[in-house]
mmCIF file of all heavy atoms in Angstrom:
data_model
loop_
_atom_site.group_PDB
_atom_site.id
_atom_site.type_symbol
_atom_site.label_atom_id
_atom_site.label_comp_id
_atom_site.label_asym_id
_atom_site.label_seq_id
_atom_site.Cartn_x
_atom_site.Cartn_y
_atom_site.Cartn_z
ATOM 1 N N GLN A 59 -14.960 -68.305 34.917
ATOM 2 C CA GLN A 59 -15.490 -68.812 33.656
ATOM 3 C C GLN A 59 -16.777 -69.557 33.916
ATOM 4 O O GLN A 59 -16.823 -70.493 34.713
ATOM 5 C CB GLN A 59 -14.481 -69.726 32.960
ATOM 6 C CG GLN A 59 -14.900 -70.109 31.557
ATOM 7 C CD GLN A 59 -13.761 -70.679 30.740
ATOM 8 O OE1 GLN A 59 -12.777 -71.172 31.280
ATOM 9 N NE2 GLN A 59 -13.897 -70.611 29.415
ATOM 10 N N ALA A 60 -17.821 -69.103 33.239
ATOM 11 C CA ALA A 60 -19.119 -69.755 33.304
ATOM 12 C C ALA A 60 -19.275 -70.657 32.087
ATOM 13 O O ALA A 60 -18.647 -70.421 31.048
ATOM 14 C CB ALA A 60 -20.228 -68.712 33.339
ATOM 15 N N PRO A 61 -20.111 -71.681 32.187
ATOM 16 C CA PRO A 61 -20.311 -72.588 31.048
ATOM 17 C C PRO A 61 -20.740 -71.835 29.799
ATOM 18 O O PRO A 61 -21.653 -70.999 29.847
ATOM 19 C CB PRO A 61 -21.426 -73.517 31.546
ATOM 20 C CG PRO A 61 -21.283 -73.518 33.021
ATOM 21 C CD PRO A 61 -20.865 -72.118 33.369
ATOM 22 N N GLY A 62 -20.042 -72.088 28.698
ATOM 23 C CA GLY A 62 -20.386 -71.468 27.443
ATOM 24 C C GLY A 62 -19.909 -70.040 27.278
ATOM 25 O O GLY A 62 -20.206 -69.405 26.267
ATOM 26 N N LYS A 63 -19.175 -69.538 28.270
ATOM 27 C CA LYS A 63 -18.681 -68.157 28.204
ATOM 28 C C LYS A 63 -17.152 -68.141 28.241
ATOM 29 O O LYS A 63 -16.515 -69.081 28.704
ATOM 30 C CB LYS A 63 -19.239 -67.330 29.362
ATOM 31 C CG LYS A 63 -20.739 -67.131 29.311
ATOM 32 C CD LYS A 63 -21.191 -66.169 30.393
ATOM 33 C CE LYS A 63 -22.683 -65.909 30.314
ATOM 34 N NZ LYS A 63 -23.139 -64.950 31.371
ATOM 35 N N GLU A 64 -16.587 -67.040 27.761
ATOM 36 C CA GLU A 64 -15.138 -66.883 27.800
ATOM 37 C C GLU A 64 -14.686 -66.578 29.226
ATOM 38 O O GLU A 64 -15.434 -66.047 30.043
ATOM 39 C CB GLU A 64 -14.715 -65.745 26.864
ATOM 40 C CG GLU A 64 -14.911 -66.066 25.394
ATOM 41 C CD GLU A 64 -14.302 -65.001 24.497
ATOM 42 O OE1 GLU A 64 -13.792 -63.992 25.029
ATOM 43 O OE2 GLU A 64 -14.334 -65.175 23.269
ATOM 44 N N ARG A 65 -13.444 -66.903 29.465
ATOM 45 C CA ARG A 65 -12.869 -66.586 30.767
ATOM 46 C C ARG A 65 -12.770 -65.071 30.927
ATOM 47 O O ARG A 65 -12.401 -64.359 30.000
ATOM 48 C CB ARG A 65 -11.483 -67.220 30.882
ATOM 49 C CG ARG A 65 -10.858 -67.097 32.258
ATOM 50 C CD ARG A 65 -9.550 -67.832 32.298
ATOM 51 N NE ARG A 65 -8.567 -67.239 31.410
ATOM 52 C CZ ARG A 65 -7.438 -67.833 31.033
ATOM 53 N NH1 ARG A 65 -7.171 -69.061 31.460
ATOM 54 N NH2 ARG A 65 -6.588 -67.216 30.242
ATOM 55 N N GLU A 66 -13.080 -64.610 32.107
ATOM 56 C CA GLU A 66 -13.101 -63.171 32.386
ATOM 57 C C GLU A 66 -12.167 -62.854 33.543
ATOM 58 O O GLU A 66 -12.212 -63.514 34.592
ATOM 59 C CB GLU A 66 -14.529 -62.742 32.745
ATOM 60 C CG GLU A 66 -14.660 -61.283 33.156
ATOM 61 C CD GLU A 66 -16.046 -60.929 33.680
ATOM 62 O OE1 GLU A 66 -16.804 -61.856 34.031
ATOM 63 O OE2 GLU A 66 -16.354 -59.738 33.764
ATOM 64 N N GLY A 67 -11.354 -61.842 33.364
ATOM 65 C CA GLY A 67 -10.534 -61.349 34.459
ATOM 66 C C GLY A 67 -11.394 -60.520 35.386
ATOM 67 O O GLY A 67 -12.004 -59.543 34.952
ATOM 68 N N VAL A 68 -11.453 -60.883 36.642
ATOM 69 C CA VAL A 68 -12.363 -60.251 37.590
ATOM 70 C C VAL A 68 -11.662 -59.175 38.410
ATOM 71 O O VAL A 68 -12.145 -58.047 38.517
ATOM 72 C CB VAL A 68 -12.962 -61.315 38.531
ATOM 73 C CG1 VAL A 68 -13.796 -60.661 39.609
ATOM 74 C CG2 VAL A 68 -13.793 -62.317 37.747
ATOM 75 N N ALA A 69 -10.530 -59.529 38.992
ATOM 76 C CA ALA A 69 -9.809 -58.601 39.861
ATOM 77 C C ALA A 69 -8.362 -59.053 39.984
ATOM 78 O O ALA A 69 -8.054 -60.227 39.774
ATOM 79 C CB ALA A 69 -10.449 -58.532 41.249
ATOM 80 N N ALA A 70 -7.505 -58.105 40.323
ATOM 81 C CA ALA A 70 -6.094 -58.439 40.498
ATOM 82 C C ALA A 70 -5.475 -57.531 41.546
ATOM 83 O O ALA A 70 -5.982 -56.424 41.808
ATOM 84 C CB ALA A 70 -5.337 -58.307 39.181
ATOM 85 N N ILE A 71 -4.372 -58.013 42.105
ATOM 86 C CA ILE A 71 -3.625 -57.215 43.069
ATOM 87 C C ILE A 71 -2.141 -57.422 42.819
ATOM 88 O O ILE A 71 -1.688 -58.552 42.556
ATOM 89 C CB ILE A 71 -4.005 -57.579 44.522
ATOM 90 C CG1 ILE A 71 -3.301 -56.651 45.514
ATOM 91 C CG2 ILE A 71 -3.710 -59.040 44.826
ATOM 92 C CD1 ILE A 71 -3.885 -56.748 46.933
ATOM 93 N N TYR A 72 -1.385 -56.325 42.863
ATOM 94 C CA TYR A 72 0.057 -56.417 42.752
ATOM 95 C C TYR A 72 0.600 -56.485 44.171
ATOM 96 O O TYR A 72 0.416 -55.543 44.963
ATOM 97 C CB TYR A 72 0.635 -55.226 42.005
ATOM 98 C CG TYR A 72 2.132 -55.223 41.930
ATOM 99 C CD1 TYR A 72 2.812 -56.335 41.430
ATOM 100 C CD2 TYR A 72 2.869 -54.133 42.372
ATOM 101 C CE1 TYR A 72 4.189 -56.342 41.372
ATOM 102 C CE2 TYR A 72 4.253 -54.142 42.310
ATOM 103 C CZ TYR A 72 4.902 -55.256 41.813
ATOM 104 O OH TYR A 72 6.272 -55.279 41.758
ATOM 105 N N THR A 73 1.250 -57.595 44.497
ATOM 106 C CA THR A 73 1.648 -57.819 45.881
ATOM 107 C C THR A 73 2.733 -56.852 46.340
ATOM 108 O O THR A 73 2.923 -56.682 47.541
ATOM 109 C CB THR A 73 2.134 -59.257 46.080
ATOM 110 O OG1 THR A 73 3.288 -59.484 45.253
ATOM 111 C CG2 THR A 73 1.056 -60.260 45.726
ATOM 112 N N GLY A 74 3.441 -56.241 45.403
ATOM 113 C CA GLY A 74 4.487 -55.312 45.794
ATOM 114 C C GLY A 74 3.947 -54.028 46.398
ATOM 115 O O GLY A 74 4.431 -53.560 47.431
ATOM 116 N N SER A 75 2.930 -53.476 45.755
ATOM 117 C CA SER A 75 2.405 -52.176 46.188
ATOM 118 C C SER A 75 1.017 -52.265 46.793
ATOM 119 O O SER A 75 0.569 -51.330 47.457
ATOM 120 C CB SER A 75 2.354 -51.228 44.990
ATOM 121 O OG SER A 75 1.453 -51.742 44.014
ATOM 122 N N GLY A 76 0.320 -53.366 46.522
ATOM 123 C CA GLY A 76 -1.065 -53.466 46.960
ATOM 124 C C GLY A 76 -2.040 -52.828 45.988
ATOM 125 O O GLY A 76 -3.243 -52.784 46.278
ATOM 126 N N ASP A 77 -1.558 -52.349 44.861
ATOM 127 C CA ASP A 77 -2.467 -51.778 43.859
ATOM 128 C C ASP A 77 -3.460 -52.835 43.394
ATOM 129 O O ASP A 77 -3.103 -53.992 43.182
ATOM 130 C CB ASP A 77 -1.682 -51.258 42.660
ATOM 131 C CG ASP A 77 -0.922 -49.989 42.981
ATOM 132 O OD1 ASP A 77 -1.193 -49.372 44.027
ATOM 133 O OD2 ASP A 77 -0.049 -49.612 42.175
ATOM 134 N N THR A 78 -4.707 -52.415 43.214
ATOM 135 C CA THR A 78 -5.764 -53.343 42.827
ATOM 136 C C THR A 78 -6.426 -52.923 41.522
ATOM 137 O O THR A 78 -6.398 -51.743 41.148
ATOM 138 C CB THR A 78 -6.833 -53.453 43.924
ATOM 139 O OG1 THR A 78 -7.350 -52.148 44.200
ATOM 140 C CG2 THR A 78 -6.246 -54.045 45.199
ATOM 141 N N TYR A 79 -7.016 -53.885 40.855
ATOM 142 C CA TYR A 79 -7.647 -53.677 39.556
ATOM 143 C C TYR A 79 -8.937 -54.502 39.523
ATOM 144 O O TYR A 79 -8.957 -55.623 40.038
ATOM 145 C CB TYR A 79 -6.715 -54.138 38.430
ATOM 146 C CG TYR A 79 -5.349 -53.506 38.504
ATOM 147 C CD1 TYR A 79 -4.368 -54.017 39.341
ATOM 148 C CD2 TYR A 79 -5.047 -52.383 37.741
ATOM 149 C CE1 TYR A 79 -3.118 -53.426 39.421
ATOM 150 C CE2 TYR A 79 -3.794 -51.794 37.813
ATOM 151 C CZ TYR A 79 -2.838 -52.322 38.659
ATOM 152 O OH TYR A 79 -1.604 -51.726 38.729
ATOM 153 N N TYR A 80 -9.978 -53.931 38.904
ATOM 154 C CA TYR A 80 -11.268 -54.606 38.880
ATOM 155 C C TYR A 80 -11.910 -54.510 37.505
ATOM 156 O O TYR A 80 -11.791 -53.497 36.817
ATOM 157 C CB TYR A 80 -12.218 -53.982 39.906
ATOM 158 C CG TYR A 80 -11.748 -54.119 41.327
ATOM 159 C CD1 TYR A 80 -11.048 -53.088 41.948
ATOM 160 C CD2 TYR A 80 -11.996 -55.286 42.044
ATOM 161 C CE1 TYR A 80 -10.604 -53.223 43.254
ATOM 162 C CE2 TYR A 80 -11.561 -55.430 43.346
ATOM 163 C CZ TYR A 80 -10.863 -54.398 43.942
ATOM 164 O OH TYR A 80 -10.426 -54.525 45.224
ATOM 165 N N ALA A 81 -12.635 -55.568 37.156
ATOM 166 C CA ALA A 81 -13.487 -55.510 35.975
ATOM 167 C C ALA A 81 -14.689 -54.627 36.293
ATOM 168 O O ALA A 81 -15.134 -54.553 37.445
ATOM 169 C CB ALA A 81 -13.953 -56.916 35.596
ATOM 170 N N ASP A 82 -15.221 -53.969 35.275
ATOM 171 C CA ASP A 82 -16.375 -53.094 35.482
ATOM 172 C C ASP A 82 -17.555 -53.861 36.073
ATOM 173 O O ASP A 82 -18.341 -53.309 36.841
ATOM 174 C CB ASP A 82 -16.793 -52.466 34.157
ATOM 175 C CG ASP A 82 -15.802 -51.426 33.679
ATOM 176 O OD1 ASP A 82 -14.977 -50.954 34.485
ATOM 177 O OD2 ASP A 82 -15.842 -51.092 32.472
ATOM 178 N N SER A 83 -17.665 -55.122 35.725
ATOM 179 C CA SER A 83 -18.817 -55.919 36.166
ATOM 180 C C SER A 83 -18.825 -56.185 37.671
ATOM 181 O O SER A 83 -19.871 -56.538 38.228
ATOM 182 C CB SER A 83 -18.836 -57.252 35.414
ATOM 183 O OG SER A 83 -17.618 -57.970 35.624
ATOM 184 N N VAL A 84 -17.682 -55.998 38.335
ATOM 185 C CA VAL A 84 -17.620 -56.313 39.768
ATOM 186 C C VAL A 84 -17.174 -55.117 40.611
ATOM 187 O O VAL A 84 -17.196 -55.186 41.845
ATOM 188 C CB VAL A 84 -16.685 -57.505 40.055
ATOM 189 C CG1 VAL A 84 -17.097 -58.711 39.235
ATOM 190 C CG2 VAL A 84 -15.220 -57.140 39.799
ATOM 191 N N ARG A 85 -16.753 -54.050 39.967
ATOM 192 C CA ARG A 85 -16.244 -52.892 40.723
ATOM 193 C C ARG A 85 -17.324 -52.378 41.656
ATOM 194 O O ARG A 85 -18.467 -52.214 41.288
ATOM 195 C CB ARG A 85 -15.779 -51.797 39.773
ATOM 196 C CG ARG A 85 -15.105 -50.628 40.491
ATOM 197 C CD ARG A 85 -14.530 -49.620 39.506
ATOM 198 N NE ARG A 85 -13.365 -50.143 38.805
ATOM 199 C CZ ARG A 85 -13.343 -50.448 37.526
ATOM 200 N NH1 ARG A 85 -14.418 -50.277 36.796
ATOM 201 N NH2 ARG A 85 -12.240 -50.915 36.962
ATOM 202 N N GLY A 86 -16.922 -52.156 42.894
ATOM 203 C CA GLY A 86 -17.858 -51.688 43.906
ATOM 204 C C GLY A 86 -18.516 -52.811 44.685
ATOM 205 O O GLY A 86 -19.102 -52.565 45.747
ATOM 206 N N ARG A 87 -18.433 -54.036 44.188
ATOM 207 C CA ARG A 87 -19.014 -55.186 44.891
ATOM 208 C C ARG A 87 -17.941 -56.156 45.376
ATOM 209 O O ARG A 87 -18.101 -56.787 46.416
ATOM 210 C CB ARG A 87 -19.973 -55.947 43.962
ATOM 211 C CG ARG A 87 -21.153 -55.120 43.473
ATOM 212 C CD ARG A 87 -22.161 -55.979 42.718
ATOM 213 N NE ARG A 87 -21.581 -56.592 41.519
ATOM 214 C CZ ARG A 87 -21.541 -57.902 41.304
ATOM 215 N NH1 ARG A 87 -22.025 -58.751 42.207
ATOM 216 N NH2 ARG A 87 -21.013 -58.377 40.173
ATOM 217 N N PHE A 88 -16.859 -56.290 44.611
ATOM 218 C CA PHE A 88 -15.788 -57.218 44.953
ATOM 219 C C PHE A 88 -14.570 -56.435 45.448
ATOM 220 O O PHE A 88 -14.293 -55.332 44.973
ATOM 221 C CB PHE A 88 -15.367 -58.056 43.741
ATOM 222 C CG PHE A 88 -16.376 -59.075 43.285
ATOM 223 C CD1 PHE A 88 -17.674 -59.088 43.751
ATOM 224 C CD2 PHE A 88 -16.010 -60.023 42.355
ATOM 225 C CE1 PHE A 88 -18.597 -60.021 43.323
ATOM 226 C CE2 PHE A 88 -16.905 -60.981 41.905
ATOM 227 C CZ PHE A 88 -18.207 -60.969 42.389
ATOM 228 N N THR A 89 -13.841 -57.049 46.376
ATOM 229 C CA THR A 89 -12.615 -56.452 46.880
ATOM 230 C C THR A 89 -11.529 -57.517 46.934
ATOM 231 O O THR A 89 -11.734 -58.586 47.536
ATOM 232 C CB THR A 89 -12.820 -55.874 48.282
ATOM 233 O OG1 THR A 89 -13.863 -54.892 48.248
ATOM 234 C CG2 THR A 89 -11.534 -55.209 48.769
ATOM 235 N N VAL A 90 -10.390 -57.218 46.324
ATOM 236 C CA VAL A 90 -9.249 -58.128 46.363
ATOM 237 C C VAL A 90 -8.254 -57.589 47.383
ATOM 238 O O VAL A 90 -8.025 -56.373 47.457
ATOM 239 C CB VAL A 90 -8.613 -58.292 44.964
ATOM 240 C CG1 VAL A 90 -8.129 -56.978 44.399
ATOM 241 C CG2 VAL A 90 -7.497 -59.329 45.004
ATOM 242 N N SER A 91 -7.695 -58.501 48.177
ATOM 243 C CA SER A 91 -6.747 -58.093 49.212
ATOM 244 C C SER A 91 -5.711 -59.190 49.404
ATOM 245 O O SER A 91 -5.841 -60.289 48.855
ATOM 246 C CB SER A 91 -7.483 -57.804 50.520
ATOM 247 O OG SER A 91 -8.126 -58.980 50.993
ATOM 248 N N GLN A 92 -4.694 -58.873 50.197
ATOM 249 C CA GLN A 92 -3.631 -59.851 50.427
ATOM 250 C C GLN A 92 -3.262 -59.894 51.902
ATOM 251 O O GLN A 92 -3.425 -58.911 52.625
ATOM 252 C CB GLN A 92 -2.391 -59.500 49.609
ATOM 253 C CG GLN A 92 -1.811 -58.135 49.927
ATOM 254 C CD GLN A 92 -0.554 -57.840 49.119
ATOM 255 O OE1 GLN A 92 0.133 -58.747 48.669
ATOM 256 N NE2 GLN A 92 -0.241 -56.575 48.917
ATOM 257 N N GLU A 93 -2.759 -61.032 52.305
ATOM 258 C CA GLU A 93 -2.220 -61.207 53.647
ATOM 259 C C GLU A 93 -0.851 -61.845 53.478
ATOM 260 O O GLU A 93 -0.733 -63.063 53.293
ATOM 261 C CB GLU A 93 -3.138 -62.093 54.487
ATOM 262 C CG GLU A 93 -2.749 -62.130 55.949
ATOM 263 C CD GLU A 93 -3.801 -62.813 56.807
ATOM 264 O OE1 GLU A 93 -4.792 -63.331 56.256
ATOM 265 O OE2 GLU A 93 -3.623 -62.843 58.028
ATOM 266 N N ASN A 94 0.162 -60.998 53.504
ATOM 267 C CA ASN A 94 1.507 -61.437 53.139
ATOM 268 C C ASN A 94 2.031 -62.558 54.022
ATOM 269 O O ASN A 94 2.670 -63.503 53.546
ATOM 270 C CB ASN A 94 2.475 -60.264 53.177
ATOM 271 C CG ASN A 94 2.184 -59.259 52.087
ATOM 272 O OD1 ASN A 94 1.343 -59.488 51.224
ATOM 273 N ND2 ASN A 94 2.856 -58.123 52.125
ATOM 274 N N VAL A 95 1.780 -62.474 55.316
ATOM 275 C CA VAL A 95 2.345 -63.479 56.218
ATOM 276 C C VAL A 95 1.788 -64.863 55.926
ATOM 277 O O VAL A 95 2.401 -65.875 56.260
ATOM 278 C CB VAL A 95 2.105 -63.106 57.695
ATOM 279 C CG1 VAL A 95 2.881 -61.858 58.061
ATOM 280 C CG2 VAL A 95 0.623 -62.923 57.976
ATOM 281 N N LYS A 96 0.615 -64.909 55.336
ATOM 282 C CA LYS A 96 0.006 -66.195 55.000
ATOM 283 C C LYS A 96 0.165 -66.527 53.521
ATOM 284 O O LYS A 96 -0.323 -67.562 53.077
ATOM 285 C CB LYS A 96 -1.474 -66.197 55.369
ATOM 286 C CG LYS A 96 -1.743 -66.158 56.857
ATOM 287 C CD LYS A 96 -3.232 -66.317 57.147
ATOM 288 C CE LYS A 96 -3.500 -66.354 58.637
ATOM 289 N NZ LYS A 96 -4.955 -66.531 58.929
ATOM 290 N N ASN A 97 0.831 -65.616 52.778
ATOM 291 C CA ASN A 97 1.000 -65.843 51.354
ATOM 292 C C ASN A 97 -0.344 -66.123 50.685
ATOM 293 O O ASN A 97 -0.474 -67.026 49.842
ATOM 294 C CB ASN A 97 1.940 -67.019 51.104
ATOM 295 C CG ASN A 97 2.981 -66.712 50.053
ATOM 296 O OD1 ASN A 97 3.026 -65.622 49.507
ATOM 297 N ND2 ASN A 97 3.822 -67.695 49.759
ATOM 298 N N THR A 98 -1.335 -65.347 51.072
ATOM 299 C CA THR A 98 -2.703 -65.600 50.633
ATOM 300 C C THR A 98 -3.338 -64.333 50.080
ATOM 301 O O THR A 98 -3.104 -63.234 50.599
ATOM 302 C CB THR A 98 -3.547 -66.128 51.804
ATOM 303 O OG1 THR A 98 -2.980 -67.361 52.265
ATOM 304 C CG2 THR A 98 -4.987 -66.375 51.381
ATOM 305 N N VAL A 99 -4.112 -64.518 49.032
ATOM 306 C CA VAL A 99 -4.879 -63.432 48.438
ATOM 307 C C VAL A 99 -6.361 -63.780 48.582
ATOM 308 O O VAL A 99 -6.741 -64.952 48.466
ATOM 309 C CB VAL A 99 -4.498 -63.256 46.954
ATOM 310 C CG1 VAL A 99 -5.426 -62.276 46.269
ATOM 311 C CG2 VAL A 99 -3.058 -62.773 46.837
ATOM 312 N N TYR A 100 -7.161 -62.762 48.819
ATOM 313 C CA TYR A 100 -8.594 -62.965 49.041
ATOM 314 C C TYR A 100 -9.406 -62.214 47.989
ATOM 315 O O TYR A 100 -8.961 -61.200 47.452
ATOM 316 C CB TYR A 100 -8.992 -62.464 50.428
ATOM 317 C CG TYR A 100 -8.233 -63.110 51.551
ATOM 318 C CD1 TYR A 100 -7.141 -62.457 52.120
ATOM 319 C CD2 TYR A 100 -8.596 -64.358 52.038
ATOM 320 C CE1 TYR A 100 -6.432 -63.044 53.159
ATOM 321 C CE2 TYR A 100 -7.883 -64.945 53.070
ATOM 322 C CZ TYR A 100 -6.807 -64.291 53.629
ATOM 323 O OH TYR A 100 -6.112 -64.881 54.646
ATOM 324 N N LEU A 101 -10.606 -62.714 47.743
ATOM 325 C CA LEU A 101 -11.582 -62.011 46.927
ATOM 326 C C LEU A 101 -12.882 -61.974 47.716
ATOM 327 O O LEU A 101 -13.573 -62.994 47.831
ATOM 328 C CB LEU A 101 -11.779 -62.689 45.572
ATOM 329 C CG LEU A 101 -12.705 -61.950 44.610
ATOM 330 C CD1 LEU A 101 -12.075 -60.620 44.180
ATOM 331 C CD2 LEU A 101 -13.025 -62.796 43.377
ATOM 332 N N GLN A 102 -13.167 -60.819 48.280
ATOM 333 C CA GLN A 102 -14.421 -60.626 48.998
ATOM 334 C C GLN A 102 -15.484 -60.245 47.996
ATOM 335 O O GLN A 102 -15.342 -59.240 47.297
ATOM 336 C CB GLN A 102 -14.266 -59.534 50.058
ATOM 337 C CG GLN A 102 -15.552 -59.220 50.806
ATOM 338 C CD GLN A 102 -16.020 -60.363 51.692
ATOM 339 O OE1 GLN A 102 -15.208 -60.997 52.369
ATOM 340 N NE2 GLN A 102 -17.311 -60.630 51.682
ATOM 341 N N MET A 103 -16.542 -61.022 47.928
ATOM 342 C CA MET A 103 -17.597 -60.800 46.942
ATOM 343 C C MET A 103 -18.896 -60.485 47.675
ATOM 344 O O MET A 103 -19.437 -61.348 48.382
ATOM 345 C CB MET A 103 -17.766 -62.037 46.059
ATOM 346 C CG MET A 103 -16.468 -62.487 45.400
ATOM 347 S SD MET A 103 -16.712 -63.861 44.256
ATOM 348 C CE MET A 103 -17.224 -65.136 45.386
#
Side-chain angles (χ1 to χ4, degrees):
Q59 189 164 22
K63 294 187 177 181
E64 291 188 357
R65 187 176 65 195
E66 176 188 17
V68 174
I71 185 167
Y72 176 54
T73 62
S75 63
D77 288 346
T78 57
Y79 306 82
Y80 297 96
D82 289 343
S83 58
V84 305
R85 186 174 289 111
R87 299 188 298 122
F88 290 12
T89 302
V90 59
S91 62
Q92 60 178 336
E93 189 170 4
N94 292 353
V95 293
K96 292 186 177 181
N97 226 1
T98 299
V99 172
Y100 303 99
L101 185 67
Q102 177 68 42
M103 306 185 295

